[in-house]
Amino acid sequence: MSIMDWDGITMLGDGWAAYQGPTADSRTHRHLAIQLAIGLKGPVSVTGDQGTVTGPAILIREGTRHRLAPNPGGVRCVFVEVDSPAGQAWRSASAGGDIAQLPPELAPELMVAEDVAGAMDRLIAACPPRLLDDRLARALAALAEDPGGSGAIRRAAMTAGVSVSGLRALAAQALTAPLAQWRLWRMLTRAAEIIATGQSLAEAAAGAGFSDQAHLTRIMGRFFGITPRVAATSLRRHHGFRAV
């Protein structure tokens, strides 16, 4: 797979990320975000366990095994963390299946917005805040700041004033994925932020708490179907993300 095949631009936001540009081959994967894929110059196709769905905009539920077909004409992909207020709103509104054409009333501004970051800010502002147990909220905040290493969940539990088993129980009741998966997702987010600043993949792996660069590569492949090296070019272009 050539890096230039994913020669687009990536933006990282608070609880969301977006990629815009051509797409190439990727492995079948699943992630902890709801994904919206919008074709820029034609339809997009997404293949899952139940077959292929094609349309101008496709919504992919969190945890769904899928693969986005190569699209040299360009795709706008928006990833919203499912446990964020916007993610919860998308999740409750997407009743068409794990992979389905986007309902017209769901985030229509993202179909045409020139300023994707501004559109996401307005979407998030319109969503009611997600209410969590205070202890879980403190633990998640701590884990977001310090997700790496084998003791990350224990440190977050200490910050929240609960036992590790108690924290896992709180997370199981309120979150849509196990706490360990949520931690890996946060580690990937941190690695992407580091890569976007121009640092090396080895530095990103170390700074995000992965055991080594190979560990980062395995986890990114599991969640996104591509390698960090493929993702790096678009991540380092995240400033000035605009529609084409």
Side-chain angles (χ1 to χ4, degrees), residues 13-187:
D14 185 9
W16 63 272
Y19 168 84
Q20 183 162 298
T23 62
D25 285 332
S26 64
R27 291 162 37 192
T28 298
H29 58 282
R30 67 179 87 205
H31 41 65
L32 303 187
I34 297 177
Q35 179 180 350
L36 172 60
I38 302 167
L40 298 177
K41 297 181 180 178
V44 291
S45 293
V46 179
T47 299
D49 292 343
Q50 304 304 315
T52 299
V53 178
T54 300
I58 304 298
L59 192 72
I60 306 159
R61 292 282 294 268
E62 78 286 351
T64 300
R65 282 170 42 87
H66 68 281
R67 184 179 68 84
L68 180 66
N71 191 320
V75 176
R76 171 180 292 173
C77 289
V78 180
F79 305 87
V80 177
E81 292 183 2
V82 68
D83 290 305
S84 69
Q88 289 293 298
W90 283 24
R91 191 171 190 265
S92 63
S94 56
D98 290 339
I99 302 174
Q101 295 202 42
L102 182 73
E105 69 278 7
L106 189 61
E109 187 177 4
L110 287 173
M111 301 279 291
V112 297
E114 180 181 357
D115 178 6
V116 175
M120 287 302 303
D121 286 344
R122 289 187 290 275
L123 173 66
I124 291 168
C127 295
R130 179 90 193 279
L131 298 179
L132 294 173
D133 182 287
D134 287 344
R135 295 164 298 175
L136 178 58
R138 290 197 302 271
L140 292 179
L143 202 53
E145 288 296 319
D146 181 22
S150 59
I153 292 178
R154 176 181 53 80
R155 294 191 299 272
M158 291 178 62
T159 298
V162 297
S163 66
V164 170
S165 59
L167 177 59
R168 292 187 187 276
L170 289 171
Q173 292 174 355
L175 303 181
T176 56
L179 197 59
Q181 293 296 302
W182 195 93
R183 181 180 73 89
L184 287 174
W185 184 259
R186 278 285 176 256
M187 289 167 64

